[in-house]
Amino acid sequence: MEVTQQNSNQQLNNAGAKELEQLFTTHFAGLYTYAYTILKDSHLAEEMVQEVFVKLYERAQHIRITTSLESYLYRSVYNESLNHQKHQKAKANYRKFILHRQNPAAPLPDASNYLELEAKLQLALEELPEQCRTIFQLSRFEELKYREIAERLGLSIKTVENQLSKALRIMRKRLKGFIVVGILLLMNHPTP
Amino acid sequence: MKLIFNQYTNILLVKYLLGETTPEESEEVRRWIAADPGHKSYADDLQKIWKESRRLAPPEPVDAFAAWQRFEQSGKIPVTAGNGTKQVRIEKLKKIYPWRAVAAAVLLLAAGICSWWTLTRKETGKEEVAALSIKSQSTVRTDILPDGSRVTLNKFSSLVLPGKWGRASRVARLTGEAFFQVVHEPSRPFTVEIGSVIIRDAGTSFNVRSVNGTTVVIVEDGAIVVTDSALSVKAAAGEKVVITAGHGGITKTTAGDKLYQYYRTKKFVCHKTPLPEFVAALNEAYGVRVVLHGDAFRNLLLTTTFDNDDLNSILSVVTRTFGLVAERKGNLIILKQS
């Protein structure tokens, strides 16, 4: 997992198939996970990452990356996913309506607490601004240290500290009350 | 309850939670937590949120190399599949003038209308057709080709017809999975190419699926000839041909169940189908993640038909048939022995 920051722009300009492959395979897991936490669909998440790399490939000459390559990739995946989500929301509402008409059966009842907590967490994450969310993402799902996050995104460690603190503060605010009750319920009524 | 602490404390607390504090800082945090029950419950909240947020991650490990291969084969970037050493030049884009953009848009629109027109027409008067590409995203799609043959693409598959398609031959390049109902014309044989595998028909319908280098062709009607490098085999209705890339082997068996039809018919037809195979089809069809926990599932054979049933009722039949329990974790559904 190493892409040196100083030659990232050059790397793009000379992006041959091999370089593109390396860039893609190095960052795929993290970017895919990011898109997945936003969209909750593995196919879509993969498509978002592909889209970002298609754009990167097509515009390699024209993109001037002022921060770090990783920060650019994460921001692109975030934007791509949110755009898609916005676009799909109208469609999804319609689809839900159709699905409900075809299949009025409710989901398994014992899954509801689990799903509800997940949905709440999801909503709480949506409250976070892009940079804050990206930092949370790297810390939570890629389990990187503060220093590693700072290096990858070209930020100071202080910024990482501040943003992570902010992320958890916002999430707690959103989940207050629910998190305690929700988890207690889960512990008392484990799914079969 | 009022909590009196500042930004600094919160930063320190999160650092502590993530194991980033120095021993002195850890000590400071522990003192702070012990000082007040309110502090403790706040710290507990953060920890719970941290712990629970883990469940938002994808339920299965990510295979970046497989993802790259899918990307390469998607045709979204001009990289030769399987030949990673080939250099691809990125061409410099010229400055785009507004009128050029308008002209380009008009051209694109015209091209779009043309391809739509050729695709939807059953008969073409003119033989020559420009290169066509049909792609499915997250839904199955059916199209009629210029020669009247019908193709049903499973999700995330694509079919490319090269330029001059249909003059002397009809060659279509496939990635993913598709079902073909071919209009037979002896003078221009219909051919499907998938990787190095070539399938020639003689007035048939057949299903082709290629995943991770293994191509499976199932003939429903008529007969076909499947060729890979020097090997060639003829298969008739009800037969199944399996070609594994790299091994150069072709095997022919009887087709067994009709599970493969589900994406086209919305029916799951199982006949002595091993449970893992059925579950794989369910996952693909419903975009869910059902996993089997434990072993000996290959011995569980399912013989039944689900006709347009919803996932919950299918799972309920499966669990009752084999005495399993279904456990849901987020969008993961785990089936295990009860």
Side-chain angles (χ1 to χ4, degrees):
Chain A
M1 289 287 277
E2 52 178 355
V3 166
T4 43
Q5 301 307 340
Q6 57 269 30
N7 65 13
S8 57
N9 240 336
Q10 191 201 344
Q11 193 175 10
L12 283 186
N13 290 340
N14 304 331
K18 206 71 203 154
E19 283 84 355
L20 194 72
E21 177 175 355
Q22 201 189 351
L23 207 59
F24 184 94
T25 47
T26 307
H27 297 294
F28 180 78
L31 296 169
Y32 166 82
T33 305
Y34 202 3
Y36 184 89
T37 58
I38 297 171
L39 296 166
K40 291 275 122 195
D41 180 303
S42 48
H43 280 306
L44 274 180
E46 186 162 337
E47 228 173 279
M48 294 303 119
V49 180
Q50 290 187 347
E51 235 10 81
V52 166
F53 276 89
V54 167
K55 283 179 184 162
L56 182 74
Y57 183 84
E58 286 170 349
R59 301 175 195 166
Q61 300 271 347
H62 301 270
I63 297 169
R64 179 132 309 142
I65 295 170
T66 45
T67 54
S68 75
L69 179 58
E70 271 189 282
S71 151
Y72 166 83
L73 288 173
Y74 275 88
R75 199 169 52 243
S76 303
V77 163
Y78 173 85
N79 289 333
E80 198 75 45
S81 306
L82 281 205
N83 278 343
H84 185 87
Q85 199 177 35
K86 230 190 296 176
H87 192 75
Q88 292 297 311
K89 260 188 182 146
K91 279 194 197 169
N93 284 338
Y94 178 71
R95 206 178 307 135
K96 246 185 228 163
F97 165 73
I98 295 292
L99 278 178
H100 181 76
R101 213 174 46 180
Q102 289 173 347
N103 166 27
L108 298 177
D110 56 4
S112 59
N113 275 326
Y114 238 97
L115 294 178
E116 202 179 334
L117 181 56
E118 193 170 313
K120 286 268 183 197
L121 277 164
Q122 183 91 17
L123 283 176
L125 268 185
E126 278 173 21
E127 301 261 310
L128 307 181
E130 185 268 323
Q131 192 190 48
C132 189
R133 185 164 183 175
T134 300
I135 293 171
F136 177 82
Q137 198 76 25
L138 287 170
S139 172
R140 185 65 192 100
F141 300 111
E142 296 182 54
E143 298 173 0
L144 297 179
K145 289 280 166 202
Y146 282 21
R147 194 176 38 77
E148 295 171 301
I149 299 173
E151 275 169 11
R152 290 197 183 196
L153 300 182
L155 302 167
S156 71
I157 295 185
K158 271 270 160 277
T159 309
V160 175
E161 284 183 357
N162 281 326
Q163 294 294 321
L164 267 175
S165 156
K166 181 177 167 186
L168 277 154
R169 210 175 55 233
I170 294 177
M171 288 174 79
R172 180 180 174 272
K173 211 163 139 194
R174 288 285 146 242
L175 292 161
K176 210 157 74 181
F178 185 86
I179 188 101
V180 182
V181 176
I183 289 168
L184 280 179
L185 275 174
L186 280 178
M187 290 193 299
N188 291 341
H189 305 284
T191 47
Chain B
M1 191 185 326
K2 198 163 177 130
L3 295 170
I4 305 166
F5 59 92
N6 53 25
Q7 179 84 344
Y8 168 77
T9 322
N10 200 59
I11 290 175
L12 205 58
L13 199 54
V14 173
K15 266 175 92 172
Y16 176 72
L17 185 68
L18 304 188
E20 296 267 356
T21 40
T22 62
E24 297 78 41
E25 286 174 329
S26 302
E27 194 42 46
E28 190 183 343
V29 172
R30 279 194 284 271
R31 268 203 309 276
W32 181 84
I33 290 174
D36 187 315
H39 291 179
K40 184 169 186 321
S41 90
Y42 184 85
D44 285 348
D45 280 2
L46 292 193
Q47 194 179 9
K48 277 173 199 153
I49 289 168
W50 182 256
K51 196 169 149 256
E52 293 302 319
S53 61
R54 176 78 207 143
R55 68 170 68 193
L56 294 175
E60 272 167 26
V62 181
D63 184 346
F65 290 97
W68 168 256
Q69 282 178 349
R70 285 193 293 274
F71 187 37
E72 240 187 342
Q73 284 165 12
S74 69
K76 289 179 184 170
I77 45 161
V79 179
T80 325
N83 184 4
T85 51
K86 190 165 179 183
Q87 276 291 123
V88 176
R89 283 191 65 82
I90 298 176
E91 280 171 39
K92 205 164 189 170
L93 290 172
K94 294 205 180 86
K95 203 171 173 186
I96 295 174
Y97 295 97
W99 62 267
R100 283 199 185 168
V102 172
V106 169
L107 250 157
L108 267 174
L109 189 68
I113 291 170
C114 280
S115 49
W116 170 80
W117 183 70
T118 34
L119 264 182
T120 45
R121 269 183 358 141
K122 287 204 177 201
E123 295 285 0
T124 37
K126 262 201 298 185
E127 295 279 50
E128 200 158 320
V129 199
L132 283 181
S133 161
I134 313 165
K135 243 164 131 175
S136 62
Q137 294 294 326
S138 49
T139 47
V140 175
R141 62 179 282 182
T142 301
D143 285 289
I144 292 164
L145 301 180
D147 67 336
S149 295
R150 183 188 282 265
V151 59
T152 305
L153 286 179
N154 198 353
K155 296 173 187 175
F156 303 102
S157 301
S158 69
L159 190 73
V160 177
L161 310 184
K164 292 185 182 171
W165 193 83
R167 179 178 279 175
S169 67
R170 295 172 290 167
V171 180
R173 273 195 294 276
L174 172 73
T175 51
E177 177 166 21
F179 178 72
F180 296 91
Q181 285 158 289
V182 176
V183 174
H184 187 48
E185 287 175 49
S187 60
R188 337 179 269 166
F190 192 95
T191 309
V192 177
E193 290 181 5
I194 185 156
S196 63
V197 179
I198 300 165
I199 302 151
R200 278 165 71 105
D201 96 293
T204 48
S205 51
F206 56 97
N207 193 78
V208 185
R209 176 187 175 91
S210 187
V211 179
N212 298 331
T214 301
T215 306
V216 179
V217 188
I218 297 173
V219 187
E220 286 201 359
D221 188 30
I224 54 163
V225 177
V226 182
T227 314
D228 185 17
S229 333
L231 298 166
S232 174
V233 67
K234 200 173 171 193
E239 289 183 319
K240 172 175 165 179
V241 179
V242 180
I243 308 102
T244 315
H247 297 69
I250 297 187
T251 52
K252 188 168 84 170
T253 53
T254 49
D257 61 38
K258 292 191 165 53
L259 187 58
Y260 71 93
Q261 292 177 341
Y262 73 86
Y263 72 93
R264 177 164 47 99
T265 59
K266 308 285 170 229
K267 264 188 209 174
F268 292 91
V269 183
C270 305
H271 181 72
K272 294 182 182 165
T273 306
L275 189 56
E277 273 172 36
F278 178 61
V279 162
L282 274 186
N283 285 342
E284 198 178 296
Y286 288 93
V288 289
R289 298 208 188 245
V290 179
V291 293
L292 297 167
H293 185 74
D295 35 48
F297 282 111
R298 276 219 79 80
N299 304 330
L300 301 181
L301 303 179
L302 193 62
T303 300
T304 183
T305 298
F306 297 104
D307 188 355
N308 226 340
D309 288 319
D310 65 88
L311 182 63
N312 282 333
S313 45
I314 292 177
L315 285 179
S316 127
V317 169
V318 169
T319 47
R320 273 187 281 124
T321 309
F322 298 118
L324 305 174
V325 286
E327 186 176 308
R328 287 208 177 207
K329 280 195 177 152
N331 41 4
L332 188 69
I333 300 166
I334 301 162
L335 298 185
K336 53 184 176 188
Q337 315 273 9
S338 57

